Structures are given as C-alpha cells and as structure tokens.
Amino acid sequence: MKVGVVGAGAVGSSAAYAMVLQGTADEIVLTDLNEKLAAAQAQDILHATPFAHSNFVRAGGYDALAGADVVILAAGVAQRPGEARLALLERNAAVFGKIIPAVLRAAPNAVLLVASNPVDVMTDIAARISGLPDGRVFGSGTILDSARFRSLLGEHLGISSRSVHAYGVGEHGDSEVLWWSGATVGSLSVIDVATQIGKPLNDAGRARIEEDVRRAADRIIAGKGATWFGIGAGLSRVVQAIGRNENALLSVSARAENIEGVDNVTLSLPRIVGAGGIRGTLLPHFDSAERAALRDSARILKEAAESVKL
C-alpha cells in the first residue's frame, strides 16, 4: 500500500512515523512546500524502520504521489494574531485549491484523508474542490476525541481503554457531543459497569471527563504548542482500516444528507471504513439531550462551511 502525506509538519510527520511503527503502509511519500523539511522528515523516519517495519519512506513532489492509495492532507496555514476564523478558513481553502488538483493529477484514484484544521470544514471544502464521491474524501474528525473519551473512561474504571467503546460525534471542536448513552465496556453500559465495580459515574464524574476531553487540546497546546502524536496515531489507524479492508467502525468526518434537520452537513459519526474509503454510516440512538446537542453542532458546522466561498 502506498500512502502520500502532503504537509510534513508535526501532524504529517507524526502520521508517517506512526505508519512505520505499525507497519501500515509499504511506501510513504512526504510532500511539502518546504522541500528540505520533507526530505529531513523522510530521512529521520526512514532511520526508524530497522526498529519497526521495513517501509520505504521518501520525500518528493506531487509526481511522487503517483499510484498512492491514500493521500493524507495535513497542510495548511497558521492563524495570524488577531485573524478571524473565517479569514483563516478562506486562506486554507486557497491552499487546498492548489494542493488537491495537483494530488489528483498524480493519484486520481486515491482516497483523500483530511487532517488540516478545522477538520470538518476543511473536509467539506476538500469534497467541494475535488468533486469526489463522499466516501473517498473524508476527515479524521472525532477519531482523536473518541480516543480521549475512551482513555479517560478506562482510567476512571481501571479497565483497558481497548475494552471501552465510546464515541465523540459532531464537530471536532467545542460543539462536539460525547455519546454517553451508547458508551459500553464489552456489551455492558459504561454507567452499569462503573456502578458494579464501585466507581460510579455521577453527574460530577461525567462532567469532569467531558471537560477533560474538550480541553485536552488546549492543555497540550499550552504546554508544547500543538498536538501531534495522538492524531498521528489516529490517522495511521484510519489508513490501516483502508489498506486492510477492515470495514472498521471509526468516528470520521464526512458529508451527511440530513442530521437532526440540518441538510448536507459535514461532521463525524461512526462510519464503516474499508478499501476505497467510507462504505457506510451508522446513526446511533441518542437520548434527547444528545440529539439537541448534535443538532446544534450540525448547525454550527453548516454555517461555517457555507461561509467559505470557493
């Protein structure tokens, strides 16, 4: 499997590194406007292959993406001091307007996996620019939020987070919705498990976990400037599901026809990911509060996407 990574900064390089450690791809190509950065990252990651998997890692221009099965879009511009969110979105849309046609000229059959933030709106923009079917262009969405949710629940319960099944849906951002009513450990409700083992999740406990999930990025950014390891591993996981045709259920961001009365909005839901991209979407049974919160999240994202003119 060949994977391209456009944008060799912290997120793109971390995704490439995670793919080497996990043996996700046979060949990885890093592309960046800063050719020296892409070359340096590729060399550094290549030197890790004797300790992990024998991946072929290199840097190159867009032509080097030829034959790629998946291309991760991790490029974008940073927000300027005092810059409005819409202005940032419009500048990043302009970046995508140059990148995506170049990617598709080289790799017309690739799945486009968007990692650039704000990821839901950038995924919507990528879909509009590319003209690809919804299943072939999607974003990392709330895959990291879901991982944070699971890790915190596992920590509270003293149970491996790999045994916890819980999802964040909606926006990868402030309006995200944690699907508490569907969170399970094995086949049991997480609330029931917490009660059985003497670690009940009351309103205060749930509020603390919600706050920790929502503020995780802020705290990491305050400490080191940005987040990259978690999302890098998440991107590798998505690529793995595509390459191995797993039909894995992952909370990624893509266009939905109608969510709680909001039409054609790009957001995260549990989706079946396999060869060729998204193969299906599952709409969970939410309680009334979760439905209302998801409706608000969908409206926020719809408004933001429509504000960006291509």
Side-chain angles (χ1 to χ4, degrees):
M1 183 183 191
K2 181 175 179 178
V3 179
V5 181
V6 180
V11 170
S13 62
S14 292
Y17 182 53
M19 286 189 281
V20 164
L21 293 183
Q22 297 174 352
T24 301
D26 302 306
E27 181 179 357
I28 301 168
V29 178
L30 280 79
T31 298
D32 197 282
L33 185 63
N34 184 339
E35 295 179 1
K36 289 184 177 180
L37 173 64
Q41 297 281 37
Q43 279 289 295
D44 197 14
I45 295 167
L46 178 66
H47 298 162
T49 59
F51 308 112
H53 295 269
S54 299
N55 312 77
F56 180 44
V57 186
R58 64 188 175 104
Y62 289 108
D63 290 348
L65 300 175
D69 301 285
V70 180
V71 176
I72 297 171
L73 302 180
V77 294
Q79 192 164 11
R80 296 165 176 164
E83 182 177 33
R85 184 168 181 263
L86 177 56
L88 173 64
L89 280 171
E90 289 175 343
R91 289 201 297 130
N92 269 326
V95 170
F96 268 29
K98 296 176 181 178
I99 289 173
I100 290 174
V103 168
L104 292 178
R105 281 194 295 271
N109 297 317
V111 172
L112 301 185
L113 175 56
V114 180
S116 304
N117 275 320
V119 68
D120 303 291
V121 180
M122 294 308 298
T123 299
D124 189 273
I125 289 168
R128 284 191 273 165
I129 291 172
S130 69
L132 295 176
D134 292 340
R136 271 188 58 200
V137 53
F138 59 97
S140 55
T142 57
I143 192 166
L144 179 54
D145 310 79
S146 297
R148 289 168 175 161
F149 191 18
R150 291 170 182 173
S151 66
L152 290 166
L153 284 171
E155 182 180 53
H156 175 84
L157 298 170
I159 292 174
S160 169
S161 59
R162 295 175 67 88
S163 297
V164 178
H165 305 282
Y167 295 91
V169 297
E171 180 190 11
H172 172 55
D174 291 342
S175 72
E176 71 178 334
V177 181
L178 299 186
W179 183 32
W180 281 99
S181 67
T184 63
V185 177
S187 60
L188 302 175
S189 160
V190 72
I191 303 300
D192 290 343
V193 171
T195 301
Q196 285 188 41
I197 64 176
K199 297 181 179 180
L201 277 164
N202 55 21
D203 289 345
R206 290 173 59 170
R208 176 184 55 78
I209 289 174
E210 288 234 8
E211 178 67 12
D212 285 348
V213 172
R214 295 180 190 281
R215 301 276 76 85
D218 294 340
R219 290 167 180 157
I220 294 169
I221 290 168
K224 68 175 196 174
T227 68
W228 54 80
F229 292 126
I231 187 57
L235 291 165
S236 177
R237 178 68 188 94
V238 176
V239 173
Q240 185 182 75
I242 296 170
R244 298 179 183 177
N245 192 23
E246 290 185 20
N247 289 334
L249 199 62
L250 302 171
S251 57
V252 292
S253 183
R255 187 79 59 86
E257 289 186 5
N258 184 287
I259 295 296
E260 297 298 327
V262 182
D263 294 329
N264 297 317
V265 59
T266 300
L267 45 58
S268 286
L269 290 169
R271 291 189 162 90
I272 303 166
V273 180
I278 293 174
R279 293 183 162 185
T281 298
L282 302 183
L283 189 60
H285 292 290
F286 299 110
D287 65 27
S288 58
E290 291 164 347
R291 289 185 61 184
L294 183 59
R295 184 182 307 113
D296 289 342
S297 187
R299 286 172 176 166
I300 289 168
L301 289 171
K302 177 75 170 179
E303 181 179 343
E306 288 184 340
S307 70
V308 182
K309 306 303 179 186
L310 303 181

